[in-house]
Amino acid sequence: MHSLATRTLHSGSPDQTCAVARRLGAHLRAGDVLLLHGDIGAGKTHFARCLIQSLLPSPEDVPSPTYTLVQIYPGPACEIWHADLYRLPGPNEVFELGLTDAFDTAICLIEWPDRLGDLAPSTALTVSLTPGAVSDARVLTLSWKSADWDARLKEALDG
Ligand code: ADP
Ligand code: MG
């Protein structure tokens, strides 16, 4: 662990956001948790969908888990969990959904991660999406404390 490190990326289109998601996805492994912050329409699901589809062995729809809360996909090396916790009834459901176990064993992409409270792993990578200057622009701010992300993000984004 180190102090909070951040990296800011600018996306000008859904495709550019997809490209970032794919690059990042190629460097993920079991036990990685991505906390996807941003208002409604920021692009959290779009980002997660691109990342998941880039890892799936065969093409599959990736619907928003708005109502199911969690969707689970078979990744090449481990499961990929896509969660939208906006409608989470309470903190206990984090355990009931099996999310706390999945944090250790799967790749987890979590929308509305503020609902996790204290249960958000300190090793997670935070991805915040905010609107840019024009309608299809987004600013992606990555932040992390785990030194484990330093080299991997460098490879994913600069390699
Ligand atoms: P959220 O899950 O954050 O509520 P969604 O991913 O469901 O948001 O929706 C984001 C919408 O914004 C999508 O329709 C997407 O095509 C659009 N969009 C426009 N520009 C971008 C961009 N640069 N990056 C991501 N999404 C974008
Ligand atoms: Mg969403």
Side-chain angles (χ1 to χ4, degrees):
M1 293 288 169
H2 48 55
S3 58
L4 192 70
T6 65
R7 172 91 189 243
T8 305
L9 305 167
H10 296 269
S11 164
S13 66
D15 280 354
Q16 284 182 12
T17 299
C18 235
V20 173
R22 281 195 299 264
R23 278 168 163 264
L24 212 55
H27 292 267
L28 297 184
R29 54 181 180 236
D32 284 340
V33 178
L34 266 57
L35 305 175
L36 304 174
H37 287 270
D39 288 340
I40 290 169
K44 303 179 295 298
T45 300
H46 178 76
F47 181 96
R49 179 178 293 128
C50 289
L51 195 160
I52 292 165
Q53 284 178 336
S54 74
L55 293 180
L56 289 181
S58 54
E60 215 182 304
D61 274 347
V62 174
S64 172
T66 313
Y67 296 101
T68 53
L69 299 187
V70 173
Q71 301 277 348
I72 303 171
Y73 301 89
C78 64
E79 285 181 346
I80 305 167
W81 285 49
H82 181 198
D84 180 334
L85 303 182
Y86 190 78
R87 291 183 164 75
L88 194 76
N92 275 344
E93 274 75 7
V94 176
F95 293 99
E96 279 167 30
L97 286 167
L99 265 174
T100 41
D101 290 331
F103 290 161
D104 295 330
T105 59
I107 291 169
C108 294
L109 311 176
I110 316 286
E111 301 184 42
W112 298 100
D114 53 305
R115 305 292 194 269
L116 292 172
D118 293 348
L119 297 173
S122 59
T123 52
L125 175 68
T126 295
V127 179
S128 295
L129 292 113
T130 50
V134 293
S135 69
D136 275 4
R138 300 289 188 276
V139 180
L140 281 71
T141 307
L142 312 186
S143 55
W144 66 96
K145 284 184 173 172
S146 172
D148 187 48
W149 288 109
D150 299 345
R152 282 198 288 159
L153 289 177
K154 222 174 181 3
E155 273 174 45
L157 303 172
D158 306 322

